[in-house]
């Protein structure tokens, strides 16, 4: 009896299969996009979602457009780059976390929020570290810069290149700032970075950490007196509408780091990995040049819009440098004196070239 039951069941199952096949509903084949790790199946198009916090007029976003152009051209469109600006995908930290989870592919944050994931990056936010953009380029694009990028791997992130945010300057709505004395008591928005907070406290200000997406409203409502960012960011975010004074404090040179999700990067073939790496570097060179041109132009534009521009003389700057040195000594111990020494040695060598 069981024998006939087994035969009947088998015939019944095969009948269902053939009926389903005839109706076009046969069991699906494995997804053609699955492939093996690091090697996508032929004809499968991948998407890179690249998000930043700044708006679509900023050189950072124009750099992303250059990256998109290079990648899509060199992969014949097999990799498509979608670009998102103005914090559409979140703030720097949340986008970095999305990269770690593999739910976003690219973001380009400043080094300050990266220090929350890899503390050695704190060294790039030491006040008055880089004397010029040219020295910063040489150090960041050299062995020391690559050593730092390599440390991101353990965080499921891949650092492909350094771009430029630029020298950060101070703006506020209360008074012209020409010295430390003028900074006393000013409430200044900073990034959520402990070194920045301690440095501004040492300089006499009252620093307030805040997400960048909340900053304009905070300035407009007087929740903080001022903020610190490169000139291009000040102008393109419209801070001149709610700020009266800008000073060339140049207290920090702030790099951007082009980050990619390691999960996504590892899924690419070696050829594709080289394409995205070179595209990030080339787009970064383009972005740096645009950024420097923009900062020069926008400083004039800010003054035309009514902002008062104040120069910090060498004596006042040296007083600031001397004042924050104990803070730097403290963080050098925390980061690792060997790392800090390597960065300073690279800066010294770059200045001598």
């Amino acid at each position: 009896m069981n024998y006939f039951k087994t035969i009947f069941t088998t015939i019944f199952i095969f009948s269902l299969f053939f009926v389903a096949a005839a109706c076009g509903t046969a069991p699906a084949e494995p997804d053609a996009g699955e492939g093996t790790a690091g090697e996508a199946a032929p004809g499968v198009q991948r998407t890179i979602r690249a998000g930043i916090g700044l708006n679509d007029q900023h050189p950072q976003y124009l750099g992303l457009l250059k990256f998109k152009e290079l990648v899509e051209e060199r992969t014949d469109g097999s990799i498509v780059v979608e670009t998102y600006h103005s914090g559409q995908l979140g703030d720097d930290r949340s986008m970095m976390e999305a990269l770690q989870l593999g739910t976003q592919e690219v973001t380009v944050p400043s080094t300050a929020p990266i220090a929350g994931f890899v503390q050695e990056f704190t060294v790039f936010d030491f006040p008055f570290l880089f004397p010029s953009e040219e020295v910063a380029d040489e150090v960041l694009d050299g062995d020391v810069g690559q050593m730092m990028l390599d440390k991101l791997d353990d965080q499921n992130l891949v650092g492909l290149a350094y771009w430029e945010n630029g020298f950060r300057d101070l703006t506020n709505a209360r008074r012209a700032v020409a010295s430390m004395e003028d900074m006393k008591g000013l409430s200044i928005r900073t990034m959520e970075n402990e070194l920045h907070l301690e440095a501004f406290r040492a300089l006499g200000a009252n620093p307030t950490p805040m997400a960048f997406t909340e900053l304009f409203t905070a300035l407009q409502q007087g929740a903080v007196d001022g903020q610190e960012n490169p000139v291009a960011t000040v102008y393109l975010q419209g801070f001149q509408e709610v700020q009266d004074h800008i000073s060339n404090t140049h207290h920090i040179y702030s790099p951007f780091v082009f980050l990619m999700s390691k999960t996504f990067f590892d899924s690419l073939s070696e050829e594709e990995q080289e394409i995205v790496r070179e595209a990030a570097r080339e787009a970064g060179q383009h972005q740096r040049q645009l950024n420097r041109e923009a900062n020069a132009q926008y400083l004039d534009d800010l003054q035309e819009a009514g902002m008062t521009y104040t120069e910090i003389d060498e004596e006042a700057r040296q007083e600031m440098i001397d004042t924050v040195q104990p803070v730097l000594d403290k963080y050098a111990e925390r980061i690792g004196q060997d790392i800090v020494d390597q960065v300073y040695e690279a800066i010294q060598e770059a200045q001598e070239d």
Side-chain angles (χ1 to χ4, degrees):
M1 184 72 176
N2 288 338
Y3 172 77
F4 287 108
K5 183 177 180 181
T6 301
I7 292 176
F8 177 81
T9 300
T10 302
I11 292 171
F12 179 73
I13 290 172
F14 272 98
S15 297
L16 287 178
F17 180 85
F18 287 122
V19 168
C23 295
T25 58
E29 292 295 322
D31 185 355
E34 288 178 359
T36 58
E39 188 175 328
V44 174
Q45 186 179 76
R46 267 83 52 80
T47 300
I48 292 175
R49 287 156 295 180
I52 60 170
L54 295 171
N55 68 28
D56 59 354
Q57 302 301 306
H58 196 281
Q60 185 190 35
Y61 185 71
L62 302 181
L64 274 189
L65 295 182
K66 185 66 174 179
F67 174 76
K68 170 183 172 69
E69 173 192 325
L70 294 172
V71 168
E72 292 181 353
E73 176 185 315
R74 293 173 184 178
T75 63
D76 294 323
S78 66
I79 298 178
V80 173
V81 181
E82 295 178 354
T83 57
Y84 298 87
H85 56 82
S86 306
Q88 291 170 313
L89 300 183
D91 60 19
D92 285 339
R93 183 174 183 84
S94 63
M95 286 191 283
M96 289 177 66
E97 290 171 346
L99 262 61
Q100 291 179 307
L101 295 170
T103 57
Q104 183 178 330
E105 289 71 41
V106 163
T107 190
V108 194
S110 295
T111 49
I114 295 175
F117 296 78
V118 179
Q119 70 169 0
E120 288 89 343
F121 270 86
T122 303
V123 70
F124 290 142
D125 284 277
F126 274 22
F128 310 107
L129 179 68
F130 290 113
S132 69
E133 294 158 340
E134 292 72 25
V135 168
D137 289 349
E138 188 165 341
V139 173
L140 295 172
D141 295 342
D143 293 340
V144 165
Q146 186 59 51
M147 173 191 70
M148 299 294 284
L149 294 180
D150 291 343
K151 294 181 182 298
L152 292 161
D153 285 1
D154 290 342
Q155 294 295 318
N156 207 34
L157 300 166
V158 178
L160 296 180
Y162 292 95
W163 290 15
E164 180 177 88
N165 195 357
F167 281 106
R168 305 179 78 87
D169 289 327
L170 181 69
T171 74
N172 81 96
R174 287 178 59 185
R175 56 177 173 264
V177 172
S179 66
M180 278 180 51
E181 183 65 27
D182 298 325
M183 292 179 66
K184 287 183 179 178
L186 291 178
S187 58
I188 304 296
R189 177 269 176 183
T190 70
M191 288 186 282
E192 299 171 77
N193 178 285
E194 284 300 322
L195 172 57
H196 287 202
L197 294 170
E198 291 198 35
F200 272 100
R201 288 191 195 106
L203 293 170
N206 296 324
T208 302
M210 183 184 300
F212 184 74
T213 50
E214 302 170 9
L215 179 53
F216 185 92
T217 300
L219 293 170
Q220 188 176 46
Q221 296 177 348
V224 290
D225 297 320
Q227 62 84 54
E228 46 85 47
N229 261 300
V231 169
T233 302
V234 173
Y235 182 79
L236 291 171
Q237 296 298 133
F239 293 158
Q240 65 273 19
E241 298 172 20
V242 289
Q243 297 279 269
D244 299 320
H245 306 279
I246 183 167
S247 303
N248 70 327
T249 49
H250 274 31
H251 50 278
I252 292 171
Y253 174 86
S254 184
F256 286 132
V257 182
F258 191 101
L259 298 178
M260 180 169 280
S261 164
K262 191 171 189 299
T263 301
F264 180 78
F265 185 79
D266 288 347
S267 76
L268 302 176
S269 68
E270 289 185 9
E271 180 183 1
E272 290 170 329
Q273 288 178 350
E274 188 59 26
I275 286 172
V276 298
R277 190 183 300 279
E278 285 303 311
R281 289 172 177 166
E282 289 183 34
Q285 295 296 324
H286 177 69
Q287 186 269 340
R288 281 175 176 170
Q289 183 61 35
L290 292 179
N291 200 59
R292 289 165 194 181
E293 293 171 358
N295 280 325
Q297 177 60 51
Y298 292 145
L299 182 57
D300 291 338
D301 293 341
L302 289 174
Q303 293 174 82
E304 287 182 11
M307 290 190 80
T308 300
Y309 173 63
T310 303
E311 289 272 358
I312 306 293
D313 64 30
E314 287 307 309
E315 182 179 353
R317 191 181 305 280
Q318 189 60 52
E319 183 184 13
M320 294 178 185
I321 292 170
D322 294 340
T323 299
V324 300
Q325 190 58 51
V327 177
L328 304 191
D329 293 340
K330 170 185 173 180
Y331 276 85
E333 289 184 16
R334 185 179 298 180
I335 296 165
Q337 192 65 52
D338 58 330
I339 293 288
V340 175
D341 288 345
Q342 287 182 65
V343 172
Y344 275 111
E345 287 169 11
I347 291 171
Q348 184 63 37
E349 290 174 5
Q351 288 180 279
E352 293 171 355
D353 286 349

